[in-house]
């Protein structure tokens, strides 16, 4: 998984946390909970699981984290630049 943040001018992404494909979901949640109060982040998580019938499945999930106490400009920048 990777956690990204926008730079101070909100013009480029910067890697905040990177883990290899063996990073667990618990590690991901711990790193997400360590984001400073009031700051937004993007996160990409590589979700891999096994099904009973079809074998292995894989999904890549994008998370956009914008807490209520973030600055308006920051929230607007994160939500408008996700594409």
């Amino acid at each position: 998984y990777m956690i990204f943040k926008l730079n101070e001018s909100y013009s480029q992404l910067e890697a905040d946390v990177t883990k290899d494909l063996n990073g667990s979901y618990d590690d991901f949640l711990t790193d997400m909970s360590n984001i400073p109060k009031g700051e937004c982040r993007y996160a990409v998580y590589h979700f891999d699981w096994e099904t009973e019938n079809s074998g292995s499945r894989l999904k890549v999930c994008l998370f956009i984290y914008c807490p209520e106490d973030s600055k308006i400009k920051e929230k607007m920048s994160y939500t408008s630049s996700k594409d």
Side-chain angles (χ1 to χ4, degrees):
Y1 63 89
M2 294 182 78
I3 300 173
F4 300 94
K5 63 182 179 178
L6 291 173
N7 63 4
E8 288 185 20
S9 64
Y10 303 110
S11 61
Q12 291 184 337
L13 281 176
E14 298 175 349
D16 192 27
V17 178
T18 58
K19 297 284 182 169
D20 63 10
L21 293 177
N22 296 326
S24 71
Y25 190 67
D26 288 335
D27 293 339
F28 173 71
L29 293 178
T30 299
D31 285 337
M32 289 296 289
S33 68
N34 290 332
I35 294 171
K37 184 175 172 63
E39 292 189 15
C40 300
R41 292 291 189 275
Y42 294 117
V44 177
Y45 186 79
H46 183 260
F47 186 64
D48 199 5
W49 76 97
E50 298 287 328
T51 64
E52 292 178 18
N53 305 2
S54 305
S56 164
R57 297 283 184 188
L58 167 70
K59 293 286 181 184
V60 177
C61 302
L62 171 67
F63 296 89
I64 302 171
Y65 175 71
C66 291
E68 290 283 323
D69 57 349
S70 319
K71 296 177 183 172
I72 297 292
K73 181 177 181 178
E74 186 171 7
K75 282 195 253 188
M76 289 177 60
S77 295
Y78 272 81
T79 56
S80 66
S81 61
K82 69 183 181 300
D83 298 329

